């Protein structure tokens, strides 16, 4: 189940479409320096290893859209572009969706520097969390943030996520394994 859109008072979340390529590419290019310190990277794993991924090979836009659609159909991950009116202002993903006894997921996002500090990211987090809790029946959603990313920590807190603790060398970000702060929100409707 992947909704066609999630709407808030100032932003709309919509799955990425092939025709979004030019806008997405332009926004990402304009924000490269702004986003690079927070972007996931692939660690160096020896070629021939079963876990080897060539970090120099990035998927095309069309491969990325196809992957997002496949993951949503499988119920594993839900990725949306964040729109304010006709402006593409960011992207948000609720990934690592797990059902069964855990019923959890994690959220990651980025915002165009020209639209930062206007509450759009917080509203996007609230919309996708609500989708996870009400439509998917999730119990626990995490947001993991590098400690020095004050703006992103504030987004998690404003969206009602509580600081749970630190995760040592949690994700490979900007070329190295980085510590993260873990913020959590639970669904009080599920016991």
């Amino acid at each position: 189940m992947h909704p066609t859109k999630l709407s808030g008072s100032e932003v709309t979340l919509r799955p990425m479409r092939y025709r979004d390529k030019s806008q997405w590419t332009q926004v990402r290019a304009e924000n490269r320096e702004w986003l690079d310190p927070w972007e996931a990277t692939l660690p160096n794993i020896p070629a021939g290893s079963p876990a080897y991924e060539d970090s120099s090979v990035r998927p095309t836009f069309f491969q990325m859209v196809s992957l997002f659609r496949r993951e949503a159909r499988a119920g594993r991950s839900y990725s949306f572009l964040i729109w304010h009116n006709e402006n593409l202002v960011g992207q948000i993903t609720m990934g690592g969706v797990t059902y069964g006894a855990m019923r959890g997921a994690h959220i990651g996002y980025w915002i165009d520097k020209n639209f930062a500090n206007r509450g759009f990211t917080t509203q996007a987090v609230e919309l996708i969390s609500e989708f996870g809790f009400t439509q998917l029946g999730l119990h626990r959603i995490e947001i993991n943030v590098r400690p020095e990313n004050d703006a992103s920590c504030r987004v998690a807190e404003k969206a009602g996520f509580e600081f749970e603790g630190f995760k040592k060398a949690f994700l490979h970000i900007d070329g190295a394994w980085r510590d993260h702060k873990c913020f959590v929100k639970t669904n009080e409707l599920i016991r």
Side-chain angles (χ1 to χ4, degrees), residues 120-173:
F120 298 157
T121 312
T122 302
Q123 190 175 127
V125 167
E126 291 168 345
L127 288 168
I128 204 167
S129 298
E130 183 68 15
F131 165 71
F133 289 145
T134 61
Q135 301 299 308
L136 302 179
L138 300 180
H139 169 67
R140 173 189 169 92
I141 300 175
E142 290 185 9
I143 297 176
N144 295 290
V145 181
R146 288 184 55 187
E148 59 274 28
N149 189 341
D150 293 329
S152 201
C153 291
R154 282 193 306 277
V155 165
E157 291 166 344
K158 288 190 296 185
F161 284 70
E162 296 179 18
F163 176 69
E164 184 175 69
F166 287 93
K167 292 186 174 185
K168 186 87 174 143
F170 180 62
L171 288 172
H172 202 268
I173 303 287

Side-chain angles (χ1 to χ4, degrees), residues 55-68:
S55 61
S56 67
V57 177
R58 295 279 183 236
T60 67
F61 182 83
F62 299 105
Q63 289 170 330
M64 184 173 54
V65 172
S66 294
L67 174 65
F68 288 157

